[in-house]
Amino acid sequence: SLRFIFVPETIGAISYIKKNLKSLKKNVFAGYSITRIGDERTYSFLSTKFENTISDKAAFKAFKDLNLNFKRYNFFEHKGSDERQFNSPGVDIPMAAIMRSRSYPEYHTSLDNFKLVTKKGLEGGYNVMEKIIFILLNNCKPKAKYLCEPQMGRRNLYSVWGQDKSWNYTKYLMNFLQYADGKKDLIDISEIMKIDFTKTLEIYKTLKKNKLLN
């Protein structure tokens, strides 16, 4: 499921963690602090303190698939927001931060207004988060069901199958199976195959439908 919390910065996050720590540690596998999301300038990403969590991977994949330039900040180099509290020792929730401008001259001034925060800017921030959530909700670690290469012909899985004839579909199916070892997730496989997450998910569903994956 998804949960959104709206709290006063720092003290609100600390209070929320104190009241919900056991549930958070049991149930949360990815999280984002969404802040300064409404201008039309550069996208920014502040990684988790671990830097290689599913929160980091899903965000990087979303920016890449959406063909968006963004600036990455390391967790220990820049003052952040509530993600600091969730990454704290003993809490250890892998929370990153998604932003448009990380910092800007108008921040905390009267110029930080609706001439700066625009509908277009907010839509851009929304699109990034929508893509990240889509990736997280559909990600998994597939495992090939059979040893060696399966017989694709009797399953009608040759390249003539499918509407997108600009890419060799059978080749992608076979390549996917090579990396479906139960350890790599769809994000990993998507990056290895150099295709976007949506096409990777399509391949996964096709192989799953044909009972080639556990």
Side-chain angles (χ1 to χ4, degrees), residues 21-50:
L21 180 59
K22 185 176 180 180
S23 176
L24 286 167
K25 291 180 73 69
K26 179 181 178 181
N27 296 304
V28 177
F29 72 96
Y32 301 91
S33 172
I34 307 170
T35 181
R36 289 165 249 179
I37 199 70
D39 66 275
E40 297 181 27
R41 297 169 183 167
T42 306
Y43 290 92
S44 302
F45 178 74
L46 179 64
S47 64
T48 70
K49 72 175 182 180
F50 309 101

Side-chain angles (χ1 to χ4, degrees), residues 5-16 81-82 85-86:
I5 63 171
F6 296 85
V7 293
E9 190 173 25
T10 305
I11 189 64
I14 293 171
S15 298
Y16 186 85
S81 184
D82 287 334
Q85 316 311 323
F86 286 89

Side-chain angles (χ1 to χ4, degrees), residues 72-100:
R72 176 181 177 178
Y73 295 91
N74 291 324
F75 184 84
F76 62 88
E77 290 180 333
H78 292 272
K79 181 181 177 182
S81 184
D82 287 334
E83 71 282 347
R84 290 175 297 167
Q85 316 311 323
F86 286 89
N87 279 274
S88 295
V91 183
D92 297 316
I93 301 297
M95 181 173 285
I98 302 291
M99 301 160 280
R100 294 295 300 248

Side-chain angles (χ1 to χ4, degrees), residues 29-32 45-66 70 72 94-98 128 131-136 139-142 181-192 195-197:
F29 72 96
Y32 301 91
F45 178 74
L46 179 64
S47 64
T48 70
K49 72 175 182 180
F50 309 101
E51 295 192 342
N52 62 348
T53 68
I54 187 63
S55 302
D56 300 299
K57 288 172 58 176
F60 292 147
K61 188 60 179 170
F63 279 120
K64 187 173 183 178
D65 285 2
L66 292 170
F70 70 99
R72 176 181 177 178
M95 181 173 285
I98 302 291
V128 170
K131 185 70 173 181
I132 290 172
I133 291 169
F134 173 81
I135 290 171
L136 288 172
N139 195 39
C140 62
K141 293 182 178 179
D181 56 7
K183 298 177 182 178
K184 296 178 183 64
D185 61 19
L186 293 186
I187 300 174
D188 297 325
I189 296 172
S190 178
E191 286 295 284
I192 292 169
I195 56 177
D196 67 32
F197 187 87

Side-chain angles (χ1 to χ4, degrees), residues 143-151 177-178 212 214:
K143 187 174 183 179
K145 188 173 181 180
Y146 301 106
L147 299 176
C148 303
E149 295 183 356
Q151 219 292 338
L177 286 171
Q178 286 291 336
L212 291 172
N214 286 322

